[in-house]
């Protein structure tokens, strides 16, 4: 097998992994246009990657708090350092329905979000990656524990 075909095989499995990992991956450019939209995002948003790509994130999700999120994104671009948003700070960034309606008490998915800078070959940060973690089980378990601890039954 040639080095070129090895490189192509490596690219293929990495691309497959990015699209099928069980976290949301969204890559945005400096104009907040979507460059990558993996299958987690497709499945939970109902928006296909072919529709999302090259669209502004704020067009695809008009219910996002644009000024708040733009400030976060701009800080990552400018400071070249990741930031994290916990479900305890903000229950969700993307209002995805909970996909376990029979086993979960939550109506919507609780999310932890990491926003990471992506450096190009020249070291410039022209893209950021939003990593969306589903932490619904952790959040609902913690809320149930807190409700029990406080002597209530409401989670």
């Amino acid at each position: 097998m040639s080095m070129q075909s090895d490189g192509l095989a490596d690219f293929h499995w990495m691309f497959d992994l990015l699209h099928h990992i069980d976290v949301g991956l969204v890559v945005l450019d400096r104009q907040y246009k979507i460059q990558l939209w993996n299958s987690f995002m497709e499945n939970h948003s109902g928006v296909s990657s072919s529709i999302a790509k090259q669209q502004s994130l704020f067009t695809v999700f008009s219910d996002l708090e644009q000024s708040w999120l733009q400030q976060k994104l701009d800080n990552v671009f400018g400071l070249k350092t990741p930031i994290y948003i916990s479900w305890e700070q903000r229950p969700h960034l993307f209002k995805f329905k909970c996909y376990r309606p029979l086993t979960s008490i939550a109506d919507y998915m609780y999310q932890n979000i990491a926003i990471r800078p992506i450096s190009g070959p020249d070291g410039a940060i022209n893209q950021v990656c939003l990593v969306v973690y589903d932490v619904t089980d952790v959040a609902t378990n913690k809320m149930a524990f807190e409700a029990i601890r406080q002597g209530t039954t409401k989670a």
Side-chain angles (χ1 to χ4, degrees):
M1 195 181 256
S2 73
M3 287 181 66
Q4 185 177 10
S5 61
D6 284 347
L8 188 59
D10 287 348
F11 176 77
H12 178 75
W13 73 256
M14 283 189 277
F15 186 78
D16 191 54
L17 177 68
L18 287 175
H19 278 281
H20 295 100
I21 194 167
D22 199 26
V23 296
L25 293 175
V26 181
V27 174
L28 302 173
D29 66 14
R30 285 189 173 269
Q31 288 73 45
Y32 317 112
K33 288 187 179 172
I34 298 166
Q35 305 300 304
L36 175 78
W37 187 257
N38 76 344
S39 62
F40 179 98
M41 295 303 291
E42 284 185 352
N43 294 337
H44 293 289
S45 70
V47 178
S48 74
S49 61
S50 60
I51 291 173
K53 271 189 95 170
Q54 297 303 319
Q55 295 291 320
S56 166
L57 180 67
F58 302 110
T59 300
V60 176
F61 285 96
S62 58
D63 61 336
L64 289 175
E65 194 174 321
Q66 185 170 347
S67 61
W68 175 85
L69 183 54
Q70 277 181 326
Q71 181 181 13
K72 300 287 186 195
L73 296 168
D74 291 345
N75 284 340
V76 173
F77 279 119
L79 299 173
K80 301 178 182 179
T81 187
I83 63 166
Y84 304 93
I85 304 162
S86 166
W87 69 268
E88 293 169 302
Q89 297 167 304
R90 179 174 290 260
H92 54 264
L93 180 60
F94 299 99
K95 198 170 184 176
F96 295 156
K97 288 206 176 278
C98 182
Y99 62 95
R100 293 177 293 233
L102 298 177
T103 60
S104 179
I105 61 171
D107 292 330
Y108 296 99
M109 178 190 295
Y110 286 85
Q111 301 161 357
N112 283 347
I113 307 291
I115 306 175
R116 302 179 181 278
I118 301 174
S119 61
D122 61 354
I125 306 298
N126 291 316
Q127 297 175 323
V128 294
C129 180
L130 280 75
V131 184
V132 181
Y133 301 93
D134 177 1
V135 293
T136 305
D137 289 341
V138 171
T140 56
N141 288 340
K142 183 174 181 181
M143 289 185 294
F145 175 76
E146 286 298 318
I148 290 169
R149 194 175 68 80
Q150 293 177 2
T152 65
T153 56
K154 185 177 174 186

